[in-house]
mmCIF file of all heavy atoms in Angstrom:
data_model
loop_
_atom_site.group_PDB
_atom_site.id
_atom_site.type_symbol
_atom_site.label_atom_id
_atom_site.label_comp_id
_atom_site.label_asym_id
_atom_site.label_seq_id
_atom_site.Cartn_x
_atom_site.Cartn_y
_atom_site.Cartn_z
ATOM 1 N N CYS A 873 -128.664 11.832 74.128
ATOM 2 C CA CYS A 873 -127.272 12.156 73.743
ATOM 3 C C CYS A 873 -126.441 12.377 74.995
ATOM 4 O O CYS A 873 -126.732 13.265 75.808
ATOM 5 C CB CYS A 873 -127.261 13.403 72.844
ATOM 6 S SG CYS A 873 -125.628 13.680 72.108
ATOM 7 N N ILE A 874 -125.394 11.573 75.136
ATOM 8 C CA ILE A 874 -124.471 11.732 76.257
ATOM 9 C C ILE A 874 -123.171 12.359 75.712
ATOM 10 O O ILE A 874 -122.943 12.372 74.529
ATOM 11 C CB ILE A 874 -124.164 10.392 76.949
ATOM 12 C CG1 ILE A 874 -123.588 9.354 75.944
ATOM 13 C CG2 ILE A 874 -125.435 9.843 77.625
ATOM 14 C CD1 ILE A 874 -122.948 8.150 76.594
ATOM 15 N N ASP A 875 -122.381 12.867 76.653
ATOM 16 C CA ASP A 875 -121.126 13.505 76.244
ATOM 17 C C ASP A 875 -120.121 12.540 75.682
ATOM 18 O O ASP A 875 -119.400 12.827 74.737
ATOM 19 C CB ASP A 875 -120.499 14.185 77.460
ATOM 20 C CG ASP A 875 -120.548 15.684 77.339
ATOM 21 O OD1 ASP A 875 -120.598 16.162 76.163
ATOM 22 O OD2 ASP A 875 -120.567 16.353 78.348
ATOM 23 N N GLY A 876 -120.039 11.348 76.300
ATOM 24 C CA GLY A 876 -118.960 10.477 75.928
ATOM 25 C C GLY A 876 -117.632 11.103 76.298
ATOM 26 O O GLY A 876 -117.615 12.084 77.032
ATOM 27 N N PRO A 877 -116.498 10.710 75.802
ATOM 28 C CA PRO A 877 -116.418 9.597 74.877
ATOM 29 C C PRO A 877 -116.597 8.236 75.523
ATOM 30 O O PRO A 877 -116.687 7.234 74.837
ATOM 31 C CB PRO A 877 -115.004 9.743 74.286
ATOM 32 C CG PRO A 877 -114.222 10.389 75.392
ATOM 33 C CD PRO A 877 -115.186 11.290 76.101
ATOM 34 N N GLN A 878 -116.688 8.198 76.865
ATOM 35 C CA GLN A 878 -116.928 6.897 77.527
ATOM 36 C C GLN A 878 -118.371 6.468 77.256
ATOM 37 O O GLN A 878 -119.272 7.270 77.173
ATOM 38 C CB GLN A 878 -116.731 7.029 79.048
ATOM 39 C CG GLN A 878 -115.387 7.581 79.473
ATOM 40 C CD GLN A 878 -115.345 9.115 79.467
ATOM 41 O OE1 GLN A 878 -116.310 9.797 79.146
ATOM 42 N NE2 GLN A 878 -114.196 9.660 79.811
ATOM 43 N N PHE A 879 -118.552 5.173 77.174
ATOM 44 C CA PHE A 879 -119.932 4.641 77.123
ATOM 45 C C PHE A 879 -120.535 4.765 78.531
ATOM 46 O O PHE A 879 -119.805 5.028 79.522
ATOM 47 C CB PHE A 879 -119.934 3.188 76.662
ATOM 48 C CG PHE A 879 -119.514 3.022 75.208
ATOM 49 C CD1 PHE A 879 -118.341 2.362 74.863
ATOM 50 C CD2 PHE A 879 -120.307 3.519 74.183
ATOM 51 C CE1 PHE A 879 -117.968 2.225 73.550
ATOM 52 C CE2 PHE A 879 -119.931 3.381 72.856
ATOM 53 C CZ PHE A 879 -118.754 2.728 72.529
ATOM 54 N N SER A 880 -121.842 4.571 78.657
ATOM 55 C CA SER A 880 -122.525 4.761 79.929
ATOM 56 C C SER A 880 -122.200 3.651 80.936
ATOM 57 O O SER A 880 -121.872 2.529 80.546
ATOM 58 C CB SER A 880 -124.048 4.739 79.699
ATOM 59 O OG SER A 880 -124.396 5.669 78.737
ATOM 60 N N SER A 881 -122.360 4.020 82.221
ATOM 61 C CA SER A 881 -122.282 2.962 83.259
ATOM 62 C C SER A 881 -123.593 2.150 83.187
ATOM 63 O O SER A 881 -124.579 2.609 82.605
ATOM 64 C CB SER A 881 -122.145 3.617 84.631
ATOM 65 O OG SER A 881 -123.355 4.281 84.956
ATOM 66 N N ARG A 882 -123.604 0.996 83.826
ATOM 67 C CA ARG A 882 -124.824 0.176 83.795
ATOM 68 C C ARG A 882 -125.986 0.915 84.500
ATOM 69 O O ARG A 882 -127.126 0.864 84.056
ATOM 70 C CB ARG A 882 -124.579 -1.195 84.396
ATOM 71 C CG ARG A 882 -125.725 -2.148 84.225
ATOM 72 C CD ARG A 882 -125.331 -3.603 84.283
ATOM 73 N NE ARG A 882 -124.569 -4.042 83.112
ATOM 74 C CZ ARG A 882 -123.353 -4.512 83.149
ATOM 75 N NH1 ARG A 882 -122.705 -4.667 84.300
ATOM 76 N NH2 ARG A 882 -122.720 -4.877 82.050
ATOM 77 N N ALA A 883 -125.643 1.641 85.577
ATOM 78 C CA ALA A 883 -126.697 2.408 86.288
ATOM 79 C C ALA A 883 -127.283 3.476 85.362
ATOM 80 O O ALA A 883 -128.516 3.659 85.308
ATOM 81 C CB ALA A 883 -126.126 3.050 87.543
ATOM 82 N N GLU A 884 -126.434 4.147 84.611
ATOM 83 C CA GLU A 884 -126.931 5.191 83.692
ATOM 84 C C GLU A 884 -127.782 4.536 82.590
ATOM 85 O O GLU A 884 -128.883 5.017 82.252
ATOM 86 C CB GLU A 884 -125.749 5.930 83.037
ATOM 87 C CG GLU A 884 -125.024 6.891 83.985
ATOM 88 C CD GLU A 884 -123.672 7.370 83.440
ATOM 89 O OE1 GLU A 884 -123.026 6.645 82.655
ATOM 90 O OE2 GLU A 884 -123.258 8.450 83.851
ATOM 91 N N SER A 885 -127.281 3.422 82.068
ATOM 92 C CA SER A 885 -127.990 2.747 80.997
ATOM 93 C C SER A 885 -129.409 2.333 81.454
ATOM 94 O O SER A 885 -130.388 2.550 80.721
ATOM 95 C CB SER A 885 -127.173 1.514 80.562
ATOM 96 O OG SER A 885 -127.645 0.998 79.380
ATOM 97 N N ASN A 886 -129.462 1.775 82.664
ATOM 98 C CA ASN A 886 -130.792 1.369 83.194
ATOM 99 C C ASN A 886 -131.690 2.601 83.426
ATOM 100 O O ASN A 886 -132.908 2.545 83.215
ATOM 101 C CB ASN A 886 -130.630 0.559 84.485
ATOM 102 C CG ASN A 886 -130.232 -0.882 84.186
ATOM 103 O OD1 ASN A 886 -130.816 -1.509 83.297
ATOM 104 N ND2 ASN A 886 -129.252 -1.408 84.876
ATOM 105 N N LEU A 887 -131.071 3.706 83.870
ATOM 106 C CA LEU A 887 -131.837 4.932 84.100
ATOM 107 C C LEU A 887 -132.443 5.432 82.779
ATOM 108 O O LEU A 887 -133.659 5.718 82.699
ATOM 109 C CB LEU A 887 -130.914 6.000 84.696
ATOM 110 C CG LEU A 887 -131.569 7.364 84.964
ATOM 111 C CD1 LEU A 887 -132.557 7.277 86.114
ATOM 112 C CD2 LEU A 887 -130.468 8.404 85.335
ATOM 113 N N TYR A 888 -131.636 5.522 81.744
ATOM 114 C CA TYR A 888 -132.122 6.023 80.443
ATOM 115 C C TYR A 888 -133.201 5.107 79.892
ATOM 116 O O TYR A 888 -134.184 5.533 79.316
ATOM 117 C CB TYR A 888 -130.979 6.158 79.443
ATOM 118 C CG TYR A 888 -129.822 7.023 79.896
ATOM 119 C CD1 TYR A 888 -128.511 6.787 79.452
ATOM 120 C CD2 TYR A 888 -130.008 8.090 80.795
ATOM 121 C CE1 TYR A 888 -127.446 7.587 79.870
ATOM 122 C CE2 TYR A 888 -128.955 8.876 81.231
ATOM 123 C CZ TYR A 888 -127.685 8.599 80.767
ATOM 124 O OH TYR A 888 -126.612 9.373 81.171
ATOM 125 N N LYS A 889 -133.010 3.802 80.097
ATOM 126 C CA LYS A 889 -134.016 2.834 79.646
ATOM 127 C C LYS A 889 -135.330 3.073 80.402
ATOM 128 O O LYS A 889 -136.413 3.094 79.817
ATOM 129 C CB LYS A 889 -133.491 1.413 79.873
ATOM 130 C CG LYS A 889 -134.416 0.343 79.352
ATOM 131 C CD LYS A 889 -133.743 -1.039 79.448
ATOM 132 C CE LYS A 889 -134.750 -2.170 79.306
ATOM 133 N NZ LYS A 889 -135.587 -2.103 78.123
ATOM 134 N N SER A 890 -135.214 3.322 81.722
ATOM 135 C CA SER A 890 -136.432 3.531 82.532
ATOM 136 C C SER A 890 -137.148 4.834 82.134
ATOM 137 O O SER A 890 -138.337 5.004 82.379
ATOM 138 C CB SER A 890 -136.100 3.531 84.036
ATOM 139 O OG SER A 890 -135.513 4.766 84.417
ATOM 140 N N TRP A 891 -136.399 5.769 81.553
ATOM 141 C CA TRP A 891 -137.012 7.024 81.095
ATOM 142 C C TRP A 891 -137.791 6.808 79.778
ATOM 143 O O TRP A 891 -138.406 7.736 79.282
ATOM 144 C CB TRP A 891 -135.925 8.068 80.829
ATOM 145 C CG TRP A 891 -135.326 8.669 82.053
ATOM 146 C CD1 TRP A 891 -135.736 8.524 83.332
ATOM 147 C CD2 TRP A 891 -134.200 9.567 82.086
ATOM 148 N NE1 TRP A 891 -134.920 9.261 84.186
ATOM 149 C CE2 TRP A 891 -133.974 9.919 83.444
ATOM 150 C CE3 TRP A 891 -133.341 10.101 81.127
ATOM 151 C CZ2 TRP A 891 -132.937 10.746 83.834
ATOM 152 C CZ3 TRP A 891 -132.320 10.940 81.510
ATOM 153 C CH2 TRP A 891 -132.127 11.256 82.860
ATOM 154 N N GLY A 892 -137.648 5.638 79.196
ATOM 155 C CA GLY A 892 -138.341 5.388 77.942
ATOM 156 C C GLY A 892 -137.540 5.754 76.697
ATOM 157 O O GLY A 892 -138.090 5.804 75.588
ATOM 158 N N CYS A 893 -136.257 6.017 76.872
ATOM 159 C CA CYS A 893 -135.427 6.358 75.701
ATOM 160 C C CYS A 893 -135.348 5.116 74.809
ATOM 161 O O CYS A 893 -135.403 3.982 75.290
ATOM 162 C CB CYS A 893 -134.018 6.755 76.142
ATOM 163 S SG CYS A 893 -134.004 8.236 77.149
#
Side-chain angles (χ1 to χ4, degrees):
C873 190
I874 57 166
D875 249 334
Q878 304 85 359
F879 292 114
S880 305
S881 68
R882 188 157 289 120
E884 288 167 331
S885 193
N886 281 315
L887 179 68
Y888 304 150
K889 184 172 164 54
S890 77
W891 286 352
C893 297

